[in-house]
Amino acid sequence: MIAFPIIRVVTKLLIPYILLFGFYVQFHGDFGPGGGFQAGVILAAALILYGLVFGLQAVQRVVPAWAVEKMMALGVLIYAGTGITTILLGGKFLDYEVLDHHLLPGILPHGQHLGIFVVELGVGITVTAVMTMIFYTFAGRKHVL
């Protein structure tokens, strides 16, 4: 691999800000523009940038492929689990009103806010993992002529 010190240094400086922005979009998505999908793509873009600059093996040391596979399943389970929970509590699938509670008012989210928050978290985890796995798959393939 050819060393490009300026690109490597700039990448190391940018990645924390990209991740911070991705988490901001994730956790602010229920109040404004953003949410799980957008945040997932931003977070995956940080990992992909790291992989493009430092190589596939370097990014796979940071987030191994087995962890990405588990994140894909975890995100889907969070999303589906929220829906199943609402059914078990007497509502319809993803009917967030049944998640209403009165524990620590003003501190813990409840009802619609809690449901959207958890679902968006599941979507964000899934999108980050899927985009990262797509990069791993294409970057790791062997060229056949």
Side-chain angles (χ1 to χ4, degrees):
M1 176 175 270
I2 301 172
F4 293 102
I6 294 174
I7 293 175
R8 288 174 175 257
V9 169
V10 170
T11 298
K12 284 184 179 182
L13 290 172
L14 284 179
I15 286 178
Y17 294 105
I18 295 171
L19 292 172
L20 182 64
F21 182 64
F23 287 123
Y24 168 78
V25 169
Q26 173 69 52
F27 294 114
H28 190 264
D30 52 338
F31 294 115
F37 184 83
Q38 294 88 338
V41 171
I42 293 168
L43 294 170
L47 293 171
I48 292 168
L49 174 63
Y50 189 84
L52 289 173
V53 173
F54 295 100
L56 180 62
Q57 290 76 24
V59 73
Q60 286 182 332
R61 280 192 302 271
V62 174
V63 184
W66 64 264
V68 175
E69 291 173 359
K70 294 201 184 321
M71 285 172 51
M72 287 190 284
L74 176 65
V76 172
L77 283 173
I78 290 172
Y79 181 89
T82 304
I84 299 299
T85 301
T86 59
I87 291 172
L88 293 175
L89 292 174
K92 296 179 183 173
F93 187 74
L94 296 177
D95 177 17
Y96 305 130
E97 293 305 318
V98 299
L99 298 176
D100 197 14
H101 63 81
H102 300 291
L103 301 173
L104 301 172
I107 297 174
L108 290 179
H110 57 89
Q112 194 78 15
H113 185 206
L114 176 62
I116 290 172
F117 182 80
V118 174
V119 164
E120 291 294 333
L121 181 64
V123 170
I125 291 170
T126 302
V127 171
T128 299
V130 168
M131 296 300 291
T132 303
M133 187 56 77
I134 289 171
F135 173 71
Y136 285 4
T137 302
F138 281 111
R141 67 189 169 110
K142 304 293 182 216
H143 297 285
V144 178
L145 296 175

